[in-house]
Amino acid sequence: MFQHTRHFTPEFRAWDESVARSAITEIATDTIARANLTTLWPSHPMDDGLRDGNGSLYFGAAGVVWTLDYLRRVHAITEDLDLELLVSAALERNAHWFATTQYSRHASLLMGELGILMVQMRVAPDQGLADEIYTLLAANSELPIVELMWGLPGCMLACIHMQSMTGDTRFIKLFQLQAGRLLVDLEPDDAGPIWTQDLYGRRQRWLGPVHGFAGNMLPLLRGWDWLTPEQRAVVAEAVPRTLASYAVTSELGSNWPAIVPSSEPPSLCQHCHGASGIITTFADVPFSTPALEALLLGGGELTWKAGPLVKGSNLCHGTGGNGYALLKLYKRTGDAVWLERARAFAMAAIDQVRGARAAFGRGRYSLWTGDCGLAVYLCHCISGEPQFPTVDIL
């Protein structure tokens, strides 16, 4: 049901809000101290060869800038830093790298200039910038869909965030156009409607919230009020059916493979692939069936029983990301046990981030793969209101 070597069972400490607030301050203080207006932030030894100074929202400077701005907005920190200059440098440094990628023609929320411009819009709003972002978003309407990280679903999330920031209805109309395109590509299948991703040179059916079915459903769920009744009916029928078809259930709970069909049982339980990402995505659905509720709870049970992740405290494939599944179930069910479990993961993640900083002599400066995402998760464990970065808030 999950690969045990990817997880560990800590001696869970009791939740302590003061410890969580101290950890947020430690992460922010270290991050600010490492900022450089020319080179931005250094990469980390665990970043698989990523060069210093990446600018992206996913594992680069834009995500760090967004985090610092968010922490100030929610009064979690008071430190002052010129974020506008940093995000401008991130845009410049990211341009050459993104041009070498396979999807350089796409407006990519997580990897390209789109995400960086969105952060710039947040820290320094400007009508000309809003127009530039709209042009980028519209250009993706006729390109291959790909998935949330590189393509159309990420643009649809950006439309939602831009409408929230500007009140401009043209972003609603663009979202609706792109939602129609996305749903046309939803393929009927005996096991439930699903998309086939043409990604990294392979045509495969992924399930998770970064590359697959869940990631394509995310903007449709976040923009639910902008869908037609017919489109809502398609989504409400597809989600329970497809999740039930591919779920693998045992006494441990429920898990899902990364790619389907699969002849092997699921091995991953992290945000990007497996139960925790499925639960974080679909615990917000505005519909319910008894079978769907059972699957959501089963995925939460498996996430809890699997325990924190060895890879670290981060969101994409770490303990903080899995904690969001537990926090989302608390919001959906109102059952305090899920809040207790989410906070237990938070305390374990605090130990992880402190241990890693001691071992490497510095933090890991990114939103999705590093310490910044954990700082945001700790804020939400304090408030009890889960808002997954990039998806629910930007």
Side-chain angles (χ1 to χ4, degrees):
M1 292 289 287
F2 63 90
Q3 194 172 357
H4 289 263
T5 55
R6 291 178 176 268
H7 300 264
F8 68 97
T9 304
E11 292 290 335
F12 282 120
R13 292 191 290 145
W15 168 250
D16 188 328
E17 182 177 326
S18 66
V19 173
R21 291 190 181 278
S22 293
I24 294 168
T25 300
E26 290 167 16
I27 290 169
T29 300
D30 176 53
T31 301
I32 290 169
R34 288 282 183 167
N36 184 295
L37 289 177
T38 302
T39 58
L40 301 173
W41 282 273
S43 63
H44 193 272
M46 295 179 69
D47 283 338
D48 298 326
L50 186 72
R51 293 185 178 181
D52 291 351
N54 183 276
S56 73
L57 185 60
Y58 179 76
F59 46 31
V64 180
V65 169
W66 177 85
T67 301
L68 294 174
D69 178 67
Y70 177 77
L71 294 177
R72 285 198 310 199
R73 279 188 278 132
V74 299
H75 308 293
I77 62 171
T78 58
E79 288 87 344
D80 195 22
L81 190 65
D82 194 333
L83 300 180
E84 189 174 354
L85 287 176
L86 283 165
V87 78
S88 296
L91 188 64
E92 181 179 349
R93 289 183 67 92
N94 204 65
H96 175 72
W97 172 80
F98 187 67
T100 67
T101 68
Q102 187 174 348
Y103 302 106
S104 58
R105 292 176 60 228
H106 291 258
S108 167
L109 178 63
L110 291 181
M111 295 298 194
E113 65 178 317
L114 172 60
I116 306 172
L117 291 174
M118 294 282 291
V119 174
Q120 190 171 41
M121 187 71 189
R122 175 61 75 185
V123 301
D126 177 79
Q127 183 58 51
L129 181 56
D131 294 340
E132 183 179 354
I133 292 170
Y134 179 85
T135 300
L136 270 177
L137 292 171
N140 259 25
S141 298
E142 301 303 323
L143 290 171
I145 286 170
V146 193
E147 37 76 278
L148 185 142
M149 177 174 276
W150 297 99
L152 190 73
C155 286
M156 293 168 64
L157 283 177
C159 284
I160 295 168
H161 295 310
M162 284 299 296
Q163 194 280 330
S164 175
M165 282 191 272
T166 67
D168 192 334
T169 57
R170 63 179 167 163
F171 291 103
I172 299 176
K173 294 176 182 178
L174 182 57
F175 172 94
Q176 291 170 331
L177 172 69
Q178 294 181 342
R181 168 92 192 286
L182 183 61
L183 285 169
V184 163
D185 274 22
L186 182 62
E187 304 164 20
D189 188 272
D190 291 342
I194 196 166
W195 287 274
T196 299
Q197 280 75 32
D198 188 350
L199 184 65
Y200 304 141
R202 295 183 179 182
R203 289 183 56 81
Q204 296 173 307
R205 289 175 164 180
W206 297 75
L207 282 183
V210 177
H211 300 306
F213 176 80
N216 285 12
M217 281 294 178
L218 269 170
L220 299 172
L221 297 172
R222 290 278 290 110
W224 186 258
D225 291 343
W226 299 346
L227 301 180
T228 67
E230 294 77 15
Q231 289 172 330
R232 292 180 195 174
V234 169
V235 174
E237 188 276 335
V239 168
R241 186 174 160 205
T242 302
L243 291 188
S245 293
Y246 294 113
V248 178
T249 300
S250 74
E251 69 282 357
L252 295 175
S254 299
N255 201 4
W256 287 262
I259 299 171
V260 295
S262 176
S263 59
E264 301 292 330
S267 61
L268 299 177
C269 179
Q270 53 198 45
H271 179 75
C272 49
H273 303 298
S276 61
I278 295 293
I279 304 313
T280 298
T281 299
F282 294 110
D284 285 337
V285 296
F287 47 82
S288 177
T289 68
L292 176 61
E293 299 304 324
L295 282 175
L296 294 175
L297 292 175
E301 287 293 343
L302 185 109
T303 300
W304 170 249
K305 290 171 182 174
L309 282 144
V310 171
K311 269 195 168 184
S313 63
N314 65 82
L315 298 183
C316 193
H317 35 258
T319 303
N322 279 24
Y324 266 110
L326 309 176
L327 207 51
K328 290 272 188 174
L329 284 174
Y330 168 64
K331 180 180 179 181
R332 187 171 184 88
T333 66
D335 187 342
V337 71
W338 295 111
L339 179 59
E340 294 169 7
R341 290 174 172 183
R343 287 173 166 176
F345 269 39
M347 297 300 287
I350 290 169
D351 291 340
Q352 284 183 282
V353 77
R354 287 173 172 170
R357 193 184 304 121
F360 291 103
R362 63 157 192 255
R364 191 175 182 183
Y365 311 109
S366 69
L367 175 56
W368 278 73
T369 64
D371 304 349
C372 292
L374 175 62
V376 178
Y377 174 63
L378 294 177
C379 286
H380 296 154
C381 280
I382 293 168
S383 69
E385 289 291 333
Q387 295 178 298
F388 198 94
T390 310
V391 175
D392 300 321
I393 49 171
L394 188 65

